[in-house]
Every structure is written in structure tokens, then in C-alpha cells.
Amino acid sequence: MTSTLNRPRAADTTVSNTPGAPVVPTKDLRGAKPASWLRRHGAGLAWLLPVLAIAAVVQAFNMDGSPQRIDDEGTYTAQAWAIQNLGEIAHYTYWYDHPPVGWLQISAYTALTGAFSRYDVAVLAAREAMLFFTLVSVVLVWFLGRKLGLSRPAAAVAGLVFAVSPLALQFHRTVYLDNVATPWLLAAFVFALSKRYQLAGFAAASLSFGIAVLSKETYLLALPFLAWMMWRGADKATRRYTLSIAASLLVLVGLGYVALAAVKGELLPGAGRVSLLEGIQFQLATREASGSVFDTGSLFFATVSQWWQLDQVLIVLGTLASIVAVFVKKLRPLGVMMVFLIAFMFRPGGYLPVPYVIMLLPFAALLVAAVTDHAVKAFRARRSGALSTAATRTGSVAWLALTLAAVVAIVPLWAVQLRGFLDSDLDAPMRNAETWVETNVPKDSRLLVDDAVWVDLVKAGFSRENVIWFYKIDTDGAVQAQSPNGWRDSDYLFETESVRTSGAGSADIRDALANSTVVATFGEGDQQVNIRQIDSQGEAQAQTEADDAASARSQAGAELAQNPNLQISSTLRTALSDGRLDPRAIIVLGQLAAMGPISVADPQALPGEQEALFRQFDVTPQGGQSVDELRSTLEGLGSVYVPESVVPSGDGLQVTFSAVAPSGVLSN
């Protein structure tokens, strides 16, 4: 018997069945696999990885500053947050306006990464998820380009344009369901081009496309072109079988959404409930049209103008590349799809979603790169003497000249636009307004808000039922039941551009705007955010009360200004006479001056309160009492008059009253 000590160890060798064949060390095979993989894919990685790195940096840098948060972002963020924290599919009644798969994926990302706990602003957690989905899309743009026969440099250019075009960056940073759907759509086309394992590839394409559509329903428009690509590439011997399997899987995925509605008893309309059918009718039939591109006041014109302002070059070049691609056999399905999607925008009476362009971006970038790659190859063939038609030769030269002109135009255009994304802080008004509300508004107040701040305010301590997304005040039965008097049951309105525009269609929001007073303002123009205190008694009564209060402040202030123990400048004397001081400040300054001489510095408006009453001032004793005695007096005042804070300031104290003053202070 041979000793086991003399046998070769299985871990070190592989035994060959071929007589006389050498024994190959297994560890060499193990090391050879990654080395072999790197040799085969190293060149591709050398092109792809730098593009990914650039995309990650450009997307992530200053994503908290630009663009400013919008209402739609807050909605998808709040829905994702509700899944994790409330165990509900949405933070309000889910009414089938969109399938939930999109924000389920956002919720999955934020749950796995702990993103909501890492940001004070909830929307930023969802923007981080957008970064992830965008990077996945960049990789898939690369793979799709290579599947279509693009050279490595051309595929890399496609990924780079898709990642860093200002038009792409604006929408990739924004929390849109389209960004979640895009990698699934790209994956569907990549799988559709499978040759070696076609059945598995077609099945994966159908599943990917189904998830794309359940992430954003408008992606269903790509179905005919995906089917065309699969039909064209299918093996004729098994075409019927593979396409039948693919179609069946796609139908099953779609039926999953129908099953959700059926299980909840919300498939068909009924009294007191939402339904899938009503959601579909809203999206396809009853939604207000966007108008005409020739109407400068239409939503269509505003949407397309925004796209155009961000990147005219990519829009023009992408459209031309789509037309050219129709005449290039390997690119034809994507070219026809792009021409169809562009033409679809101009259908009469249709609604054009603002993020519709997100679906077009990867294919525009791909086709620009593909047509350019095709032209370069045709030009090289001509140089080498290969046969080609005069039209091909002329077309390739013309396209290369156009591309060169586009590159020259892109450099200054992109430089200006990208600088804005990387160094501007357009979201500062939103953050500052949020901080003001969290600091100054009582936690038992009822707020009408832009959905972009809904999660933040709930996390800050406001009751979920008291933070009302303005859109729901007259569209959600549950909210209406809690607000039987509509806008009158709310205390404050968080006014943003979304409230000013989208809210214009709501009678409650129009009334809330008309019957409220601005108490704090941040930013300007479209970025301006106003905090409004709602006057539940109505505008006329509120104006009467405001005039009476102003008259009382003016009279009391003028009397206080005559006090010989009060040392003030002419500026403050005028402010007192004009009734610009908080009524509590007038009473308290009178009490302090009665105890001994004091000087009061000119008051400065607190951030956002340039038009509001002065409620902060610096007071310094001028004899007769010490700073400590002054502090003791201030802190011992009754609940109506006690300041919110008293802190040292120079030789005296800085006194700040709360933003919400009790009514009738000067008449008490």
C-alpha cells in the first residue's frame, strides 16, 4: 500500500486522464482565471472606469446645492420613506397615479445604505439613490454601445455625454422615477441583443422591461422597438418559442400590478375608494394637456425651453443622429424609436411630462456616438481605398464636420452650465425656510407645505396629520375629513414655486395665499420661499386687525421713545413711531427703562424677516442696575412677555422674542 504521505495533495495538483500528461498545479489555474479575465477586458475597463469616475464626481459634487428641490422629488422621497418608517406604500392615500415599483427601489437603496439617517434633508438621500441608478445606466450605455458594434472610445463617449451633459445632469440629480426606470430599459435592450443564450436573454429582457414600465409607465412606449430588435435578432428556428416566452413573462409582470389593485379591492371605481382604472384614465385621458410649443405661455413651451436652455447642442445633434440612424441597419430600431418618441411629444392634446427627456438621453448619447463612429470608420475606409458609395463618403465627411462644430460649441456652453451645477446653492432658500419653521413655528401648528419638505418637518417633530402636502388639501378624502373647513384649518403655508404654479388650480390654495401674511422670506425669483401665516377669519378681517395692531404699536412706540431713561438713535426712534417693533419688546423696554437708564442698539431684522416686526435687540444698562440684574428681570417676566432667549452681547444682553406673538398684547 502506498503511503498517503507520498501522494500528491489534491489542493496542489490536478490529475490528468491522459497518459503521460503533466500534472498541472491547481493554484496556477486559479491565478490564471482573473489574469485571463483582465487580459480580455482590461482595454474596456481602461475606457469605462474613468467615465464612471467622472460621472460619479460630477453627479455627487454639490448635489445638495443644485438644482433646488421640487415638489415631485419630495413626493417620491416621502413615499420611499413611508415604506420604511410607516409600513405603508405612500405617505397619503395611494391612488395609482404611478406604479409603486420605482419608489420601492428607492426605498430599498436607502434602507440598505442607511441613507435617510445620513442626511438632514431627506430628498438628498433619494438623490444619492439617483446617483446609484445613473452610474448603473452609464455602465449599461457602455455595454449597449459595444453590443451595437461601437468601438471602445465611441462607447466611452456615449457614456460620458449621457453622464455629464448639463441637460442630463439636471435631471439625473433630480429624484424622478424615470431615473429608476432607465437602467432597466437599457438592460432590456442589452439582453435583447443576446446571441449565445438567446432564450435566457429574451426572458431577462422581458423581465427588465416589465420592471422599467412598473417604475415609470411612459417607458411602455419603447415596447414595439424592443420587440423589433428581439424579432430581428432571434434565431429563426426558435423565434416563435423564445418570443412567446418573452411575451408571456412581460404579461405576467404587468399582471402583478393589476393583482395588487385587485387584492386591495381597488381595481374598478367605487364610492369612497381609489381605483387602478381611474389612475389609468387620469394618465391617458383626463390629464390636462400641455398645450402647443408655439404658445409661449403653455407648459409644453416652458418644458421644452428648459431643456433647450440646458443643452441646445445635444438636443440638435441627438435629433439629427436619430434621423441618420434610421438609415443605418444596425442602428435602425433605436433610430426609429427616437424619431417616434420625439414626434410623440407633439401629439395634439397630449400631456408632456417635464422628465420625459430622461428616457431620450441615453439613446441620444448612444446614437450621436454611434453615427460618429460609423462616419469615422467610413472615412478611414475611404482613406484606405475601400469601396464605398459617393453618398456614404459625402455623408461621413459632413457628419464629422458637424460633430467637430458641435464639440467647439459644447466647450463654452457646458463650461458655463456645469459651473452653475458645481458651485451654486439654489437650495439655500429651501433649507433656510425649513430651519425657520422648525425653530419658530409651534410644533402643534397645522402646515400646508410643498412635499419637498414633508419628511423633514415630520422628522422635526410636527405631527404627520398636521403636515399637509398642499396638493392633497382638496384631492384626498382622508385629508378633507381632517380639514372640514379646508384652508381655514391650517396655520401656516410653506409657499414655493410649486405652490404658486401647481397650487393655482386649487381653490383652497388660492384662498390660503390670498388670506395669509408673509412672516419670513428666503431667496428670490423662482427660488423664493415664503412662510405665510394663514388668517382663518379671512383677508378683510385680518387686515382690519393688522391695521388696529399697527396703530397700537405706533402709539405705544411713540410714547416709549419719549422716555428719558431710554437712550436710542433716531433710526430706532423712527422705528418705534412707525410701529415696527414687536409689541412685547415695546412693553418690556418700557419696564426696563422704568428701573433705570438703558441704551438700545438699532435692531436688525432676523434672516428672512426683512419685512417683519423687529423682535431682537441689544440692551445695555447705563447705571443703576447690573447686567445680571437686567437678565434676572428679563427671565422673570410672565409667560406672555418672557423672551425666547437672553444672551450676552458686548457690555449688555441680546434679547430675542419668539416669532409668534400673542394677540392683544398692547391691550392687556
Side-chain angles (χ1 to χ4, degrees):
M1 180 179 295
T2 304
S3 170
T4 56
L5 294 175
N6 296 324
R7 293 177 185 171
R9 290 179 298 172
D12 292 335
T13 61
T14 298
V15 179
S16 172
N17 292 325
T18 305
V23 176
V24 181
T26 303
K27 60 184 179 182
D28 291 344
L29 287 176
R30 292 174 181 167
K33 289 181 180 179
S36 174
W37 187 90
L38 282 174
R39 280 195 299 271
R40 285 185 288 114
H41 299 287
L45 290 173
W47 283 98
L48 175 59
L49 292 180
V51 172
L52 269 178
I54 293 171
V57 171
V58 172
Q59 175 95 356
F61 190 82
N62 195 42
M63 74 174 182
D64 59 337
S66 181
Q68 186 184 47
R69 278 173 284 163
I70 60 174
D71 191 59
D72 279 355
E73 288 190 279
T75 299
Y76 305 134
T77 299
Q79 288 168 327
W81 184 85
I83 291 171
Q84 290 179 48
N85 296 275
L86 304 177
E88 301 174 12
I89 202 169
H91 58 315
Y92 285 99
T93 303
Y94 173 60
W95 65 285
Y96 299 92
D97 55 332
H98 298 297
V101 175
W103 60 86
L104 280 168
Q105 294 175 70
I106 297 173
S107 182
Y109 175 88
T110 54
L112 290 171
T113 62
F116 279 127
S117 64
R118 288 187 281 107
Y119 293 98
D120 293 332
V121 174
V123 167
L124 294 182
R127 283 192 178 183
E128 185 183 295
M130 296 303 102
L131 168 61
F132 168 76
F133 289 116
T134 297
L135 294 180
V136 173
S137 295
V138 170
V139 173
L140 290 168
V141 165
W142 162 272
F143 277 115
L144 183 54
R146 295 293 287 156
K147 287 275 189 180
L148 292 169
L150 272 66
S151 64
R152 293 187 185 93
V157 167
L160 190 65
V161 171
F162 169 72
V164 303
S165 159
L167 177 59
L169 190 57
Q170 167 81 19
F171 286 94
H172 289 165
R173 281 188 175 186
T174 307
V175 183
Y176 281 125
L177 299 179
D178 309 65
N179 288 320
V180 182
T182 295
W184 293 106
L185 180 62
L186 291 169
F189 278 100
V190 170
F191 287 129
L193 291 171
S194 298
K195 295 293 185 183
R196 188 174 179 184
Y197 303 105
Q198 198 160 83
L199 177 59
F202 282 12
S206 290
L207 292 173
S208 297
F209 185 75
I211 296 173
V213 173
L214 291 183
S215 299
K216 187 60 183 287
E217 65 279 3
T218 53
Y219 279 50
L220 186 62
L221 293 171
L223 178 58
F225 309 99
L226 178 66
W228 178 11
M229 186 169 282
M230 293 168 71
W231 174 272
R232 191 174 73 162
D235 188 297
K236 291 183 180 179
T238 59
R239 176 185 288 163
R240 181 175 298 178
Y241 176 67
T242 55
L243 292 181
S244 297
I245 294 295
S248 299
L249 287 172
L250 182 58
V251 170
L252 286 173
V253 172
L255 287 176
Y257 185 41
V258 177
L260 170 68
V263 168
K264 296 179 66 179
E266 297 172 344
L267 185 60
L268 301 175
R273 71 169 185 240
V274 296
S275 73
L276 174 59
L277 183 60
E278 287 177 325
I280 294 174
Q281 288 175 336
F282 169 76
Q283 293 289 3
L284 298 182
T286 62
R287 196 164 191 174
E288 185 178 355
S290 297
S292 168
V293 70
F294 302 108
D295 178 5
T296 57
S298 69
L299 176 61
F300 191 109
F301 184 87
T303 298
V304 175
S305 296
Q306 180 189 14
W307 298 350
W308 180 258
Q309 183 181 7
L310 286 165
D311 196 346
Q312 305 97 308
V313 177
L314 180 59
I315 291 174
V316 172
L317 203 61
T319 302
L320 293 176
S322 301
I323 296 171
V324 173
V326 173
F327 302 97
V328 180
K329 184 177 180 180
K330 66 180 180 180
L331 303 176
R332 188 166 295 140
L334 296 185
V336 175
M337 181 181 76
M338 281 290 289
V339 171
F340 167 75
L341 292 175
I342 293 170
F344 186 79
M345 295 190 304
F346 296 89
R347 69 196 186 283
Y351 172 74
L352 178 63
V354 173
Y356 181 84
V357 72
I358 295 175
M359 184 181 180
L360 307 181
L361 287 171
F363 300 103
L366 266 171
L367 291 178
V368 168
V371 171
T372 304
D373 191 50
H374 184 76
V376 169
K377 290 174 180 176
F379 184 77
R380 286 178 175 174
R382 176 192 176 193
R383 295 279 306 269
S384 63
L387 295 177
S388 60
T389 65
T392 300
R393 294 194 298 270
T394 303
S396 63
V397 172
W399 182 263
L400 291 175
L402 179 64
T403 304
L404 181 61
V407 171
V408 172
I410 277 175
V411 172
L413 173 68
W414 281 20
V416 171
Q417 295 283 21
L418 292 176
R419 187 181 302 118
F421 282 109
L422 299 177
D423 64 13
S424 61
D425 192 0
L426 300 181
D427 200 54
M430 291 285 283
R431 293 197 308 275
N432 293 336
E434 270 191 67
T435 300
W436 192 94
V437 170
E438 293 171 7
T439 303
N440 296 295
V441 174
K443 292 298 189 290
D444 60 352
S445 300
R446 195 170 178 82
L447 315 173
L448 287 173
V449 303
D450 185 302
D451 223 15
V453 301
W454 190 91
V455 174
D456 299 337
L457 295 180
V458 171
K459 290 172 66 177
F462 291 92
S463 169
R464 173 189 174 188
E465 290 73 22
N466 283 342
V467 183
I468 304 171
W469 176 19
F470 76 90
Y471 178 76
K472 294 292 185 177
I473 187 66
D474 51 11
T475 61
D476 190 315
V479 175
Q480 289 174 307
Q482 295 171 358
S483 305
N485 300 307
W487 63 273
R488 295 178 188 274
D489 289 329
S490 296
D491 301 306
Y492 288 88
L493 173 63
F494 194 101
E495 179 200 342
T496 62
E497 185 66 9
S498 292
V499 174
R500 290 188 286 270
T501 54
S502 299
S506 165
D508 272 300
I509 298 304
R510 291 197 303 271
D511 287 341
L513 286 168
N515 295 282
S516 59
T517 304
V518 175
V519 292
T521 298
F522 302 90
E524 56 187 17
D526 291 345
Q527 280 78 44
Q528 186 176 83
V529 180
N530 297 321
I531 309 302
R532 290 178 167 270
Q533 188 168 13
I534 295 174
D535 306 309
S536 61
Q537 300 304 312
E539 182 180 14
Q541 179 64 28
Q543 187 60 54
T544 299
E545 292 178 358
D547 291 342
D548 291 343
S551 177
R553 290 195 306 272
S554 178
Q555 181 179 348
E559 293 176 1
L560 176 63
Q562 303 305 315
N563 192 315
N565 280 346
L566 192 67
Q567 301 176 18
I568 56 175
S569 69
S570 58
T571 300
L572 180 52
R573 193 178 302 277
T574 300
L576 283 168
S577 299
D578 290 344
R580 286 295 314 280
L581 255 67
D582 185 289
R584 294 164 296 179
I586 296 174
I587 296 295
V588 169
L589 285 175
Q591 291 182 350
L592 295 179
M595 299 171 61
I598 57 171
S599 65
V600 183
D602 291 344
Q604 300 294 321
L606 291 170
E609 300 183 23
Q610 288 76 12
E611 302 301 321
L613 299 179
F614 295 118
R615 60 185 180 92
Q616 183 182 80
F617 56 86
D618 288 1
V619 57
T620 305
Q622 296 299 314
Q625 59 181 326
S626 66
V627 171
D628 289 339
E629 290 173 328
L630 194 66
R631 176 196 288 272
S632 179
T633 300
L634 289 167
E635 293 178 345
L637 296 171
S639 59
V640 172
Y641 301 104
V642 66
E644 184 176 64
S645 69
V646 179
V647 297
S649 176
D651 295 331
L653 299 170
Q654 184 178 80
V655 181
T656 306
F657 290 92
S658 64
V660 182
S663 59
V665 168
L666 290 175
S667 61
N668 288 345

